[in-house]
Amino acid sequence: MKPSGPVVESKVRVRYAETDAQRIVYHANYLIWFEVGRTDYCEAAGYPYARMESEGVLIAVVEARARFRRGARYGDVVTVRTRFAGLKSRGCAFVYDVVLPDGTLSAEGETHHIFMDIEGRPRLVPPPVAEAFRAFGGM
Amino acid sequence: MKPSGPVVESKVRVRYAETDAQRIVYHANYLIWFEVGRTDYCEAAGYPYARMESEGVLIAVVEARARFRRGARYGDVVTVRTRFAGLKSRGCAFVYDVVLPDGTLSAEGETHHIFMDIEGRPRLVPPPVAEAFRAFGGM
Amino acid sequence: MKPSGPVVESKVRVRYAETDAQRIVYHANYLIWFEVGRTDYCEAAGYPYARMESEGVLIAVVEARARFRRGARYGDVVTVRTRFAGLKSRGCAFVYDVVLPDGTLSAEGETHHIFMDIEGRPRLVPPPVAEAFRAFGGM
Amino acid sequence: MKPSGPVVESKVRVRYAETDAQRIVYHANYLIWFEVGRTDYCEAAGYPYARMESEGVLIAVVEARARFRRGARYGDVVTVRTRFAGLKSRGCAFVYDVVLPDGTLSAEGETHHIFMDIEGRPRLVPPPVAEAFRAFGGM
């Protein structure tokens, strides 16, 4: 996992719905925030994920990993910092930091993906997508 | 809203993910439990919702209403009691009670639905579906 | 339910996590968006909900109602329009519209609330909170 | 990560709310199912997590990892198979398999935890908890 290229930042305000009885954000929600970061990354790279889907390219999550450092709380505006971490012919990866308002690291993680066609079969990354990510991601 | 016919009961154990910082279940999750009740109701009526979808009949929620009495807590096994409350040519309705382990009412609600085809257009309820619900629901 | 005073607008980008197998937003998520609207409303009124909680005032949802018109889709930036709809000695209410990017109404709803102390007992609205809402809400 | 001792099985029926626009379960929900497995494991071991909390012992998730093989669909009853994978003085770990109705592996993962007191500070595992897990887990 060698992240490269620009960091895309997303601001997420913690919803009450995302907290749990320990009064901090329930851990699985960080994976949803990673998705928010990924969405913003694809848009910043010039290839919004909604456009990929409309062109028949689905991206599936095949692996996710997160380390939870310090739980965010209701009302916090956290920053999700997303970087690209590799593009292969059939998949790609991202790494993420989630940072609290005071700059403390809340969580960090990574996700691995494969490209699929509309029927869910693995497929090669389409050249325009690869090109957009490479141009943006400095690879 | 005149509920009729049998009550179908579903047991749901409260997940930690469903609690919030007030240490009770976040209210929107009750709508998900209503869906659990609806799923069990359709199955009990002999027409599982997954089968409807595979036959091209989608059911959309067009209205939902809930009153929250006493919040369930992590680990509670609540009972969702679902009844049918009306079948029209293009839609149907259900009513729900959610009961805590000690018998106290936790929440109650109702949902209203329309039938749609695979493209999301309103459609008439297919006769076999209507027949199954009528036979089971005492209408 | 007579909404009064200013409309507070919140922008919410639909997350993939919020969609369901009908490819639109799962209906219960609209209640979470109403909460986003409520949070922004309280902040705009000068009394952020996190501050209320830190001062020992909890607000519980006792009733929620929503009508779903047209499902939002992944990537849509919807606008939640929140208005105040009543303040009593022990509770308050809000009404909401959720509007799609093209101006179409996606859903509308209302929520009713009571004030509680830290142990979950009903309590009177504290005068500073009432004053903030009245001054902002034109009541 | 050396899982040891008994496998505790939990049945989970996929909710519509858990699916996404790819018509399979949104990946973050698997972490919630791991929590369902963990809850059942603690109960099977004779020390329900709700009891731990009532005695002032919180368990936080400090790391989670999952590999997603084949997405579960609405209505599937999946089996979560949970095993214990280590107990230290200040933490513990679990491993999970999620299996589809036809026996195919849907996902697998692991979570790592620390014990905390009510204020969120790390604490040693209380002897009765350690004893229960050791007796049950064959360690």
Side-chain angles (χ1 to χ4, degrees):
Chain A
M1 297 295 295
K2 285 196 195 166
S4 67
V7 174
V8 171
E9 295 198 348
S10 309
K11 296 290 181 186
V12 176
R13 180 188 283 261
V14 177
R15 302 171 176 181
Y16 215 87
E18 294 170 328
T19 61
D20 69 18
Q22 288 184 4
R23 300 185 60 81
I24 54 174
V25 170
Y26 184 76
H27 66 285
N29 290 307
Y30 284 86
L31 268 62
I32 298 176
W33 295 351
F34 292 170
E35 177 228 302
V36 170
R38 221 150 56 225
T39 290
D40 287 348
Y41 189 96
C42 292
E43 186 159 308
Y47 224 109
Y49 182 64
R51 178 177 161 204
M52 280 188 225
E53 283 213 342
S54 71
E55 294 174 354
V57 185
L58 307 187
I59 300 186
V61 182
V62 292
E63 186 171 349
R65 188 174 191 169
R67 274 186 295 274
F68 309 101
R69 304 295 191 184
R70 192 179 180 87
R73 290 173 184 273
Y74 168 70
D76 283 351
V77 177
V78 301
T79 304
V80 183
R81 298 166 45 88
T82 305
R83 298 181 79 191
F84 206 54
L87 180 67
K88 296 182 196 163
S89 59
R90 293 177 186 277
C92 62
F94 293 90
V95 295
Y96 315 86
D97 284 339
V98 178
V99 181
L100 296 177
D102 69 0
T104 310
L105 184 64
S106 178
E108 57 192 324
E110 60 188 61
T111 56
H112 299 256
H113 307 268
I114 54 162
F115 299 102
M116 298 187 310
D117 64 20
I118 220 77
E119 274 83 31
R121 288 173 302 222
R123 57 162 290 172
L124 296 173
V125 56
V129 173
E131 200 174 327
F133 279 95
R134 283 208 186 92
F136 184 72
M139 281 179 295
Chain B
M1 297 295 297
K2 285 196 193 166
S4 69
V7 174
V8 171
E9 294 198 349
S10 310
K11 297 289 183 188
V12 175
R13 179 188 283 262
V14 176
R15 302 170 177 183
Y16 215 88
E18 294 171 328
T19 61
D20 69 19
Q22 289 185 4
R23 300 187 57 82
I24 55 175
V25 169
Y26 184 76
H27 66 285
N29 290 308
Y30 284 85
L31 268 63
I32 298 176
W33 294 352
F34 292 170
E35 177 228 302
V36 170
R38 221 150 56 226
T39 291
D40 287 348
Y41 190 97
C42 292
E43 185 159 308
Y47 225 108
Y49 182 64
R51 178 177 160 203
M52 281 188 225
E53 282 213 344
S54 72
E55 294 174 355
V57 185
L58 307 188
I59 299 186
V61 182
V62 291
E63 187 171 348
R65 188 173 189 169
R67 274 185 296 273
F68 308 101
R69 304 295 192 186
R70 193 180 179 86
R73 289 174 185 273
Y74 168 69
D76 283 351
V77 178
V78 301
T79 305
V80 183
R81 298 166 46 87
T82 305
R83 298 182 78 192
F84 207 55
L87 179 67
K88 298 182 195 163
S89 59
R90 294 179 185 278
C92 62
F94 294 90
V95 295
Y96 315 86
D97 284 339
V98 177
V99 181
L100 295 177
D102 68 1
T104 311
L105 184 64
S106 179
E108 56 192 325
E110 60 188 60
T111 56
H112 299 256
H113 306 268
I114 55 162
F115 299 102
M116 298 186 311
D117 64 18
I118 220 79
E119 275 84 30
R121 289 173 301 223
R123 57 160 291 170
L124 295 172
V125 56
V129 173
E131 201 174 325
F133 279 94
R134 284 208 186 90
F136 184 71
M139 283 180 294
Chain C
M1 298 295 295
K2 285 196 193 167
S4 68
V7 175
V8 171
E9 294 198 347
S10 310
K11 297 290 182 186
V12 176
R13 180 187 283 262
V14 177
R15 302 171 176 181
Y16 214 88
E18 294 171 327
T19 62
D20 69 17
Q22 289 185 4
R23 301 185 59 82
I24 54 174
V25 169
Y26 184 77
H27 66 285
N29 289 307
Y30 284 86
L31 268 63
I32 297 176
W33 295 351
F34 292 170
E35 178 228 303
V36 170
R38 221 150 58 226
T39 291
D40 288 348
Y41 189 97
C42 292
E43 185 160 308
Y47 224 109
Y49 181 64
R51 178 178 161 203
M52 281 189 225
E53 282 213 344
S54 71
E55 294 173 355
V57 185
L58 307 188
I59 300 186
V61 183
V62 292
E63 185 172 350
R65 187 174 191 170
R67 275 186 295 274
F68 308 101
R69 304 294 192 185
R70 192 178 180 87
R73 290 172 184 273
Y74 168 69
D76 284 351
V77 177
V78 301
T79 304
V80 182
R81 298 165 46 87
T82 304
R83 298 181 79 193
F84 207 54
L87 179 68
K88 297 180 196 165
S89 59
R90 292 179 187 277
C92 61
F94 293 90
V95 295
Y96 315 85
D97 284 339
V98 178
V99 181
L100 296 178
D102 68 0
T104 310
L105 184 64
S106 179
E108 56 193 326
E110 61 189 58
T111 56
H112 300 255
H113 306 268
I114 54 161
F115 299 102
M116 298 187 310
D117 64 18
I118 219 78
E119 275 83 32
R121 288 173 303 222
R123 58 161 289 172
L124 296 173
V125 55
V129 173
E131 200 175 324
F133 279 95
R134 283 209 186 90
F136 184 71
M139 281 179 295
Chain D
M1 298 294 296
K2 284 196 192 167
S4 69
V7 174
V8 171
E9 294 198 348
S10 310
K11 297 289 182 187
V12 176
R13 180 188 282 261
V14 177
R15 302 170 176 182
Y16 215 87
E18 294 171 329
T19 62
D20 69 18
Q22 289 185 4
R23 300 186 59 82
I24 55 175
V25 169
Y26 184 75
H27 67 284
N29 290 307
Y30 284 85
L31 267 63
I32 297 176
W33 295 352
F34 293 170
E35 178 227 303
V36 170
R38 220 150 58 226
T39 291
D40 288 348
Y41 189 96
C42 292
E43 185 160 309
Y47 225 109
Y49 182 65
R51 179 177 160 204
M52 281 188 225
E53 282 213 343
S54 72
E55 294 173 355
V57 184
L58 308 187
I59 300 186
V61 182
V62 291
E63 186 171 350
R65 187 174 190 168
R67 274 185 295 274
F68 308 101
R69 304 295 192 186
R70 194 179 178 88
R73 289 173 184 274
Y74 168 69
D76 284 351
V77 177
V78 301
T79 304
V80 182
R81 297 166 46 87
T82 305
R83 299 182 78 192
F84 206 55
L87 180 67
K88 297 181 196 165
S89 58
R90 293 179 186 277
C92 64
F94 293 90
V95 295
Y96 315 85
D97 284 339
V98 178
V99 181
L100 296 177
D102 69 0
T104 310
L105 183 64
S106 179
E108 57 192 325
E110 60 189 59
T111 56
H112 299 257
H113 306 267
I114 55 163
F115 299 102
M116 298 187 310
D117 63 21
I118 219 78
E119 276 83 31
R121 288 173 301 222
R123 57 161 289 170
L124 295 173
V125 55
V129 174
E131 201 175 323
F133 279 94
R134 283 209 185 90
F136 184 71
M139 282 178 296

